[in-house]
Amino acid sequence: KNDIQFEYTLTEAGNLLVELYDMLGQKIDVVVKDHDNPGVYFVKIDRDLTSGIYFYKAKLNNGAWATGKLIRQ
């Protein structure tokens, strides 16, 4: 099984929301919804996803957000 994995780093504590989207922009899943302290975290998306390109959107409670691309082969 070829899981999608990625890591993220928080520089401050907060409520984090990370959502996974397909290439059409449809939300597939919420992969992180948690209060985390500063540090480095690893996420493993344990879903049966087809090969392709996926995108994630991460938002911290202070309004900071980031996006990225994940490739499932």
Side-chain angles (χ1 to χ4, degrees):
K1 189 173 179 180
N2 190 7
D3 295 320
I4 295 177
Q5 300 180 38
F6 65 97
E7 74 176 61
Y8 63 92
T9 302
L10 289 180
T11 57
E12 61 184 80
N15 295 313
L16 182 67
L17 175 67
V18 180
E19 299 171 322
L20 184 67
Y21 294 85
D22 65 16
M23 290 208 34
L24 299 175
Q26 296 177 328
K27 183 167 58 172
I28 296 173
D29 201 358
V30 174
V31 294
V32 177
K33 186 176 182 182
D34 201 3
H35 180 85
D36 287 327
N37 292 315
V40 177
Y41 296 88
F42 296 90
V43 175
K44 178 179 170 184
I45 300 172
D46 194 22
R47 279 188 65 123
D48 190 19
L49 298 172
T50 60
S51 296
I53 298 172
Y54 296 87
F55 300 92
Y56 67 86
K57 179 172 68 173
K59 183 175 181 183
L60 195 59
N61 62 345
N62 67 3
W65 58 275
T67 59
K69 177 171 65 173
L70 304 168
I71 299 173
R72 169 88 158 82
Q73 299 183 359

